[in-house]
Amino acid sequence: MALYTIIDKSTCIACGMCAVCAPTTYDYDDEGIAYVVHDDNTGTQAVAVDIEEDVIEAEMSCPSASVRTAESSFQGDPDRFE
């Protein structure tokens, strides 16, 4: 099954853990807040299979629970599966 990821930018504290765990998936915008590179933080494109474990590690390592993952598209809403 596919894995999707998104950053809840409203709770991100820019600690850097997501980029440490999955540097090809997460980066920082001009305000220093993390976002998903491959789909501009919309959570609409699945993560490459070879980095799924890194993305899951990023989610588990995020102290503010801003990294979200799901088996369905977030359709731009980090709270879609809350």
Side-chain angles (χ1 to χ4, degrees), residues 25-44:
T25 302
Y26 305 104
D27 201 356
Y28 299 92
D29 64 16
D30 293 338
E31 296 174 9
I33 302 299
Y35 74 100
V36 179
V37 175
H38 68 266
D39 66 5
D40 201 29
N41 204 55
T42 61
T44 57

Side-chain angles (χ1 to χ4, degrees), residues 6-63:
I6 195 168
I7 298 286
D8 183 343
K9 295 179 91 169
S10 71
T11 60
C12 177
I13 61 172
C15 74
M17 285 307 299
C18 59
V20 168
C21 296
T24 62
T25 302
Y26 305 104
D27 201 356
Y28 299 92
D29 64 16
D30 293 338
E31 296 174 9
I33 302 299
Y35 74 100
V36 179
V37 175
H38 68 266
D39 66 5
D40 201 29
N41 204 55
T42 61
T44 57
Q45 293 180 19
V47 172
V49 173
D50 62 325
I51 59 170
E52 285 181 352
E53 289 182 21
D54 296 339
V55 170
I56 291 168
E57 182 181 354
E59 179 182 36
M60 293 187 322
S61 299
C62 180

Side-chain angles (χ1 to χ4, degrees), residues 1-5 46 52 56 69-74 80-81:
M1 173 132 309
L3 181 70
Y4 297 82
T5 186
E52 285 181 352
I56 291 168
T69 64
E71 293 180 350
S72 298
S73 170
F74 283 91
R80 183 161 188 243
F81 302 108

